Amino acid sequence: MSSGETEGLRDGEQCPPSGEVTSAAVPPQSRSRDQAVDGDDQRSTPSSDEGDPAASPDEGQQREGGFWSRQHRRLEIIGTALTVVAGIAGLVFLFWPDVQPKPDPEPPPRVELVDSDVDREQNIAADVVFDGQVTEQVEVPTSVVSVTLRNSADDPVLVTHAEVRLTSATEVLCTYGAGLTEIKAQYNIKIPRKAGAGSVIPRKMKYTLPPHSQERVAFTVGPERYGEGSMPWIYTFTISLHMDDGSTVTVPEVTYLAPTDMATAFLAMAEQAMRSEQSEGAGLMEPACVSEQARSVAQLVKSASRPSPELRDFSAELTRLSALR
């Protein structure tokens, strides 16, 4: 060290070895100031994803978790409020049931069935046909299915057609011979011979019900054609009346005997058969068949909800004849 350099040193200070830097070379104030600046830089500088890879996901999760927590709390508050309101409404309806809103009543049907029966009788015309020609006309008594309808509308209602739906068709069969004569009765609804359970027989109509009125409609039911030696039939059926507005009125089930003139002839042959057995004569019917038909018809009448008057009378007389054996 030269004398010039040595003179620049204060008393008591030594020159550090060459290449070494001691803390004494930096003033304390300068170090404090530098450290403070470094600390500020660290606090002010945001950590990047590359500098601190673990910090960024945690901060994102915290931010996301805070948002959903607030939404969850809002939903809880809304759910609690709705529960309280429902509970209060339930208590109100419990103690004051008249306050509860009621649905609007359905409007009444335009056409409604007031009454129906099978207790009225009338004579209907029947054409006796021989070799395709009408040889005479006779009257056949029969039951009438009557239907009383009410139109509550402000406008007239048209009954467009009727349908007979057969539940059963039973022939009271004990053969005693048959003739060539055919009979065509003027029934309102004619049942084909081959019709059976489940068959639907339509009939066109043009019957108008005036507004705010009550009207009666009547039907007679019988076979389309039958011969002089034919057997009586027992029909069980319902009648549906169809309106021009698409509505339908159904008449309750009826059990019906037709034709009544064949039923009368059958009873005459049955009585001859039962009395001929007593007198050892020959009858056109077998007595065993008469007894069997008497039991069958009685069972039909017993199970029928609404048997016609002719059917009840026919069954009672047939049961009486079967007891003659």
Side-chain angles (χ1 to χ4, degrees):
M1 180 178 300
S2 61
S3 60
E5 294 174 345
T6 304
E7 290 177 355
L9 295 176
R10 294 188 183 96
D11 293 341
E13 291 181 349
Q14 296 180 354
C15 181
S18 179
E20 293 183 6
V21 179
T22 63
S23 60
V26 182
Q29 294 180 354
S30 299
R31 289 198 305 270
S32 299
R33 187 170 54 252
D34 294 340
Q35 290 175 357
V37 172
D38 293 340
D40 291 341
D41 292 340
Q42 291 176 358
R43 288 193 299 270
S44 61
T45 303
S47 58
S48 62
D49 294 341
E50 295 179 357
D52 193 354
S56 179
D58 292 341
E59 292 177 358
Q61 290 176 2
Q62 291 176 359
R63 288 194 297 270
E64 185 178 357
F67 171 78
W68 289 113
S69 296
R70 290 193 298 273
Q71 295 298 322
H72 183 68
R73 285 194 296 273
R74 290 174 185 171
L75 292 176
E76 286 182 345
I77 294 172
I78 294 173
T80 302
L82 291 177
T83 302
V84 172
V85 172
I88 294 173
L91 291 175
V92 171
F93 295 152
L94 178 63
F95 291 105
W96 294 280
D98 295 336
V99 180
Q100 186 173 2
K102 298 178 180 179
D104 295 334
E106 294 184 1
R110 297 176 63 190
V111 178
E112 50 189 329
L113 177 66
V114 177
D115 188 25
S116 68
D117 62 59
V118 286
D119 293 332
R120 303 172 186 266
E121 296 183 7
Q122 73 176 29
N123 291 332
I124 61 172
D127 296 334
V128 179
V129 182
F130 185 77
D131 287 341
Q133 300 294 324
V134 177
T135 58
E136 62 177 319
Q137 287 187 335
V138 296
E139 290 186 344
V140 178
T142 188
S143 290
V144 175
V145 180
S146 64
V147 183
T148 304
L149 303 174
R150 178 185 295 128
N151 178 14
S152 59
D154 296 331
D155 300 317
V157 176
L158 177 65
V159 183
T160 59
H161 66 285
E163 287 182 343
V164 170
R165 184 176 298 273
L166 288 177
T167 304
S168 65
T170 305
E171 186 176 18
V172 185
L173 183 58
C174 283
T175 304
Y176 62 90
L180 298 175
T181 303
E182 284 188 327
I183 301 175
K184 296 172 59 180
Q186 306 303 309
Y187 294 112
N188 297 116
I189 299 175
K190 300 176 177 63
I191 308 297
R193 181 173 181 83
K194 294 183 178 180
S199 298
V200 177
I201 297 91
R203 185 188 189 281
K204 293 182 179 180
M205 297 178 62
K206 287 186 178 180
Y207 186 86
T208 301
L209 292 171
H212 301 288
S213 64
Q214 187 167 296
E215 298 282 340
R216 177 177 171 267
V217 187
F219 299 92
T220 57
V221 181
E224 189 173 42
R225 288 172 177 258
Y226 58 98
E228 188 177 350
S230 296
M231 301 291 111
W233 285 82
I234 300 174
Y235 302 111
T236 300
F237 57 87
T238 58
I239 299 177
S240 297
L241 302 176
H242 297 261
M243 317 300 166
D244 58 352
D245 62 353
S247 61
T248 303
V249 173
T250 301
V251 182
E253 188 176 79
V254 173
T255 303
Y256 193 97
L257 176 70
T260 55
D261 55 341
M262 292 298 99
T264 301
F266 184 94
L267 291 175
M269 295 296 102
E271 183 171 12
Q272 181 181 354
M274 303 308 288
R275 294 191 182 281
S276 64
E277 186 180 40
Q278 292 179 346
S279 61
E280 297 182 356
L284 297 178
M285 284 186 183
E286 293 290 334
C289 182
V290 174
S291 298
E292 176 61 29
Q293 291 300 319
R295 288 191 295 269
S296 177
V297 173
Q299 183 61 36
L300 278 173
V301 173
K302 183 179 179 180
S303 60
S305 57
R306 294 201 301 173
S308 67
E310 292 87 359
L311 177 58
R312 290 195 297 266
D313 294 344
F314 177 74
S315 177
E317 181 63 13
L318 195 56
T319 298
R320 184 189 69 81
L321 293 176
S322 67
L324 297 177
R325 184 177 178 182

